[in-house]
Amino acid sequence: MTEKNQDGFIPGQLVTFEEITRQLRDRNRKALENNKEQPISVSEKIVKALSQLDQANDAHWTNAGLPNVKAVEEILGQDITRADINAAAPDFRRDV
């Protein structure tokens, strides 16, 4: 029995254009399915937003040195809570 090559064809075998096209389409579909980007979690979005806060901007911070929830919400474009920030980055504080 002759083995198939990496493209799924037997060397020397005559194949139609349609068969080659189908094989390539299937391979591309499988590759796309395997490489789909995973959705970014809210925690990951919050961590990214926290990195964009300005250490010198007092409006971005509370008196206790915590990120201002409203400032983080503005960067994210969605509502969050202090608990969301604490869950995503429990030790995140303003550098003093």
Side-chain angles (χ1 to χ4, degrees):
M1 183 171 166
T2 308
E3 290 187 33
K4 294 182 179 183
N5 64 17
Q6 67 185 17
D7 296 319
F9 300 112
I10 299 170
Q13 173 188 16
L14 293 176
V15 293
T16 64
F17 176 77
E18 289 80 14
E19 180 62 17
I20 293 171
T21 303
R22 185 188 65 73
Q23 288 277 350
L24 291 173
R25 190 178 312 121
D26 288 347
R27 187 180 334 149
N28 288 339
R29 180 184 48 77
K30 288 175 186 172
L32 287 173
E33 287 172 0
N34 291 334
N35 291 323
K36 285 183 181 174
E37 289 186 28
Q38 298 298 318
I40 298 173
S41 71
V42 173
S43 290
E44 290 172 308
K45 290 178 184 179
I46 289 172
V47 169
K48 188 174 181 178
L50 292 174
S51 72
Q52 296 176 47
L53 294 176
D54 183 353
Q55 293 285 330
N57 186 343
D58 290 336
H60 286 186
W61 307 95
T62 67
N63 290 336
L66 299 173
N68 182 305
V69 174
K70 292 294 178 195
V72 178
E73 286 177 335
E74 284 181 28
I75 293 169
L76 285 176
Q78 70 183 73
D79 293 339
I80 59 166
T81 64
R82 169 68 55 207
D84 294 329
I85 294 173
N86 291 343
D91 298 320
F92 189 82
R93 302 278 186 276
R94 184 181 198 178
D95 292 336
V96 181

PDB file of all heavy atoms in Angstrom, residues 54-69:
ATOM      1  N   ASP A  54      -2.181  56.928  34.773  1.00  0.00           N
ATOM      2  CA  ASP A  54      -1.053  57.854  34.881  1.00  0.00           C
ATOM      3  C   ASP A  54      -0.711  58.046  36.350  1.00  0.00           C
ATOM      4  O   ASP A  54      -1.533  58.549  37.121  1.00  0.00           O
ATOM      5  CB  ASP A  54      -1.449  59.181  34.224  1.00  0.00           C
ATOM      6  CG  ASP A  54      -0.332  60.207  34.213  1.00  0.00           C
ATOM      7  OD1 ASP A  54       0.735  59.974  34.828  1.00  0.00           O
ATOM      8  OD2 ASP A  54      -0.540  61.265  33.596  1.00  0.00           O
ATOM      9  N   GLN A  55       0.491  57.649  36.741  1.00  0.00           N
ATOM     10  CA  GLN A  55       0.928  57.785  38.131  1.00  0.00           C
ATOM     11  C   GLN A  55       0.879  59.236  38.603  1.00  0.00           C
ATOM     12  O   GLN A  55       0.654  59.507  39.779  1.00  0.00           O
ATOM     13  CB  GLN A  55       2.352  57.233  38.294  1.00  0.00           C
ATOM     14  CG  GLN A  55       2.476  55.745  38.104  1.00  0.00           C
ATOM     15  CD  GLN A  55       1.937  54.960  39.290  1.00  0.00           C
ATOM     16  OE1 GLN A  55       1.967  55.413  40.422  1.00  0.00           O
ATOM     17  NE2 GLN A  55       1.432  53.777  39.010  1.00  0.00           N
ATOM     18  N   ALA A  56       1.077  60.171  37.702  1.00  0.00           N
ATOM     19  CA  ALA A  56       1.113  61.590  38.063  1.00  0.00           C
ATOM     20  C   ALA A  56      -0.266  62.246  38.079  1.00  0.00           C
ATOM     21  O   ALA A  56      -0.407  63.381  38.538  1.00  0.00           O
ATOM     22  CB  ALA A  56       2.026  62.346  37.107  1.00  0.00           C
ATOM     23  N   ASN A  57      -1.272  61.550  37.605  1.00  0.00           N
ATOM     24  CA  ASN A  57      -2.625  62.121  37.520  1.00  0.00           C
ATOM     25  C   ASN A  57      -3.417  61.717  38.759  1.00  0.00           C
ATOM     26  O   ASN A  57      -3.861  60.572  38.887  1.00  0.00           O
ATOM     27  CB  ASN A  57      -3.313  61.634  36.244  1.00  0.00           C
ATOM     28  CG  ASN A  57      -4.652  62.284  36.011  1.00  0.00           C
ATOM     29  OD1 ASN A  57      -5.252  62.868  36.914  1.00  0.00           O
ATOM     30  ND2 ASN A  57      -5.137  62.178  34.791  1.00  0.00           N
ATOM     31  N   ASP A  58      -3.633  62.676  39.664  1.00  0.00           N
ATOM     32  CA  ASP A  58      -4.361  62.393  40.908  1.00  0.00           C
ATOM     33  C   ASP A  58      -5.779  61.892  40.660  1.00  0.00           C
ATOM     34  O   ASP A  58      -6.325  61.166  41.486  1.00  0.00           O
ATOM     35  CB  ASP A  58      -4.398  63.635  41.800  1.00  0.00           C
ATOM     36  CG  ASP A  58      -3.039  63.982  42.379  1.00  0.00           C
ATOM     37  OD1 ASP A  58      -2.187  63.072  42.478  1.00  0.00           O
ATOM     38  OD2 ASP A  58      -2.823  65.165  42.719  1.00  0.00           O
ATOM     39  N   ALA A  59      -6.368  62.254  39.535  1.00  0.00           N
ATOM     40  CA  ALA A  59      -7.735  61.818  39.233  1.00  0.00           C
ATOM     41  C   ALA A  59      -7.803  60.310  38.970  1.00  0.00           C
ATOM     42  O   ALA A  59      -8.881  59.725  39.021  1.00  0.00           O
ATOM     43  CB  ALA A  59      -8.277  62.584  38.031  1.00  0.00           C
ATOM     44  N   HIS A  60      -6.670  59.697  38.709  1.00  0.00           N
ATOM     45  CA  HIS A  60      -6.642  58.260  38.445  1.00  0.00           C
ATOM     46  C   HIS A  60      -6.531  57.431  39.724  1.00  0.00           C
ATOM     47  O   HIS A  60      -6.580  56.200  39.652  1.00  0.00           O
ATOM     48  CB  HIS A  60      -5.470  57.906  37.529  1.00  0.00           C
ATOM     49  CG  HIS A  60      -5.685  58.300  36.105  1.00  0.00           C
ATOM     50  ND1 HIS A  60      -4.806  57.968  35.108  1.00  0.00           N
ATOM     51  CD2 HIS A  60      -6.680  58.996  35.490  1.00  0.00           C
ATOM     52  CE1 HIS A  60      -5.239  58.437  33.951  1.00  0.00           C
ATOM     53  NE2 HIS A  60      -6.376  59.076  34.158  1.00  0.00           N
ATOM     54  N   TRP A  61      -6.414  58.091  40.866  1.00  0.00           N
ATOM     55  CA  TRP A  61      -6.124  57.382  42.116  1.00  0.00           C
ATOM     56  C   TRP A  61      -6.978  57.897  43.265  1.00  0.00           C
ATOM     57  O   TRP A  61      -7.376  59.050  43.303  1.00  0.00           O
ATOM     58  CB  TRP A  61      -4.639  57.560  42.466  1.00  0.00           C
ATOM     59  CG  TRP A  61      -3.769  57.169  41.331  1.00  0.00           C
ATOM     60  CD1 TRP A  61      -3.241  57.998  40.385  1.00  0.00           C
ATOM     61  CD2 TRP A  61      -3.381  55.859  40.973  1.00  0.00           C
ATOM     62  NE1 TRP A  61      -2.533  57.276  39.466  1.00  0.00           N
ATOM     63  CE2 TRP A  61      -2.597  55.951  39.805  1.00  0.00           C
ATOM     64  CE3 TRP A  61      -3.598  54.601  41.522  1.00  0.00           C
ATOM     65  CZ2 TRP A  61      -2.043  54.847  39.172  1.00  0.00           C
ATOM     66  CZ3 TRP A  61      -3.037  53.493  40.905  1.00  0.00           C
ATOM     67  CH2 TRP A  61      -2.277  53.624  39.744  1.00  0.00           C
ATOM     68  N   THR A  62      -7.209  57.022  44.230  1.00  0.00           N
ATOM     69  CA  THR A  62      -7.887  57.437  45.464  1.00  0.00           C
ATOM     70  C   THR A  62      -6.830  57.960  46.432  1.00  0.00           C
ATOM     71  O   THR A  62      -5.624  57.821  46.202  1.00  0.00           O
ATOM     72  CB  THR A  62      -8.621  56.254  46.130  1.00  0.00           C
ATOM     73  OG1 THR A  62      -7.634  55.310  46.586  1.00  0.00           O
ATOM     74  CG2 THR A  62      -9.591  55.580  45.174  1.00  0.00           C
ATOM     75  N   ASN A  63      -7.272  58.543  47.534  1.00  0.00           N
ATOM     76  CA  ASN A  63      -6.334  59.020  48.564  1.00  0.00           C
ATOM     77  C   ASN A  63      -5.528  57.874  49.163  1.00  0.00           C
ATOM     78  O   ASN A  63      -4.431  58.084  49.669  1.00  0.00           O
ATOM     79  CB  ASN A  63      -7.087  59.769  49.671  1.00  0.00           C
ATOM     80  CG  ASN A  63      -7.635  61.096  49.176  1.00  0.00           C
ATOM     81  OD1 ASN A  63      -7.124  61.670  48.213  1.00  0.00           O
ATOM     82  ND2 ASN A  63      -8.668  61.590  49.833  1.00  0.00           N
ATOM     83  N   ALA A  64      -6.064  56.677  49.129  1.00  0.00           N
ATOM     84  CA  ALA A  64      -5.371  55.502  49.661  1.00  0.00           C
ATOM     85  C   ALA A  64      -4.395  54.882  48.644  1.00  0.00           C
ATOM     86  O   ALA A  64      -3.759  53.872  48.933  1.00  0.00           O
ATOM     87  CB  ALA A  64      -6.397  54.457  50.101  1.00  0.00           C
ATOM     88  N   GLY A  65      -4.298  55.483  47.447  1.00  0.00           N
ATOM     89  CA  GLY A  65      -3.375  54.984  46.431  1.00  0.00           C
ATOM     90  C   GLY A  65      -3.938  53.878  45.558  1.00  0.00           C
ATOM     91  O   GLY A  65      -3.212  53.245  44.789  1.00  0.00           O
ATOM     92  N   LEU A  66      -5.237  53.662  45.676  1.00  0.00           N
ATOM     93  CA  LEU A  66      -5.897  52.644  44.843  1.00  0.00           C
ATOM     94  C   LEU A  66      -6.335  53.259  43.518  1.00  0.00           C
ATOM     95  O   LEU A  66      -6.586  54.461  43.433  1.00  0.00           O
ATOM     96  CB  LEU A  66      -7.114  52.075  45.572  1.00  0.00           C
ATOM     97  CG  LEU A  66      -6.842  51.375  46.893  1.00  0.00           C
ATOM     98  CD1 LEU A  66      -8.164  51.017  47.571  1.00  0.00           C
ATOM     99  CD2 LEU A  66      -5.995  50.140  46.679  1.00  0.00           C
ATOM    100  N   PRO A  67      -6.475  52.434  42.478  1.00  0.00           N
ATOM    101  CA  PRO A  67      -6.981  52.953  41.203  1.00  0.00           C
ATOM    102  C   PRO A  67      -8.401  53.489  41.359  1.00  0.00           C
ATOM    103  O   PRO A  67      -9.231  52.867  42.025  1.00  0.00           O
ATOM    104  CB  PRO A  67      -6.976  51.743  40.278  1.00  0.00           C
ATOM    105  CG  PRO A  67      -6.151  50.710  40.956  1.00  0.00           C
ATOM    106  CD  PRO A  67      -6.176  51.011  42.408  1.00  0.00           C
ATOM    107  N   ASN A  68      -8.673  54.633  40.795  1.00  0.00           N
ATOM    108  CA  ASN A  68     -10.014  55.205  40.805  1.00  0.00           C
ATOM    109  C   ASN A  68     -10.895  54.374  39.867  1.00  0.00           C
ATOM    110  O   ASN A  68     -10.567  54.206  38.690  1.00  0.00           O
ATOM    111  CB  ASN A  68      -9.956  56.665  40.340  1.00  0.00           C
ATOM    112  CG  ASN A  68     -11.295  57.336  40.373  1.00  0.00           C
ATOM    113  OD1 ASN A  68     -12.251  56.850  39.783  1.00  0.00           O
ATOM    114  ND2 ASN A  68     -11.368  58.469  41.056  1.00  0.00           N
ATOM    115  N   VAL A  69     -11.987  53.863  40.391  1.00  0.00           N
ATOM    116  CA  VAL A  69     -12.865  52.981  39.607  1.00  0.00           C
ATOM    117  C   VAL A  69     -13.345  53.691  38.342  1.00  0.00           C
ATOM    118  O   VAL A  69     -13.348  53.112  37.253  1.00  0.00           O
ATOM    119  CB  VAL A  69     -14.051  52.481  40.463  1.00  0.00           C
ATOM    120  CG1 VAL A  69     -15.034  51.696  39.612  1.00  0.00           C
ATOM    121  CG2 VAL A  69     -13.556  51.643  41.627  1.00  0.00           C
TER     122      VAL A  69
END
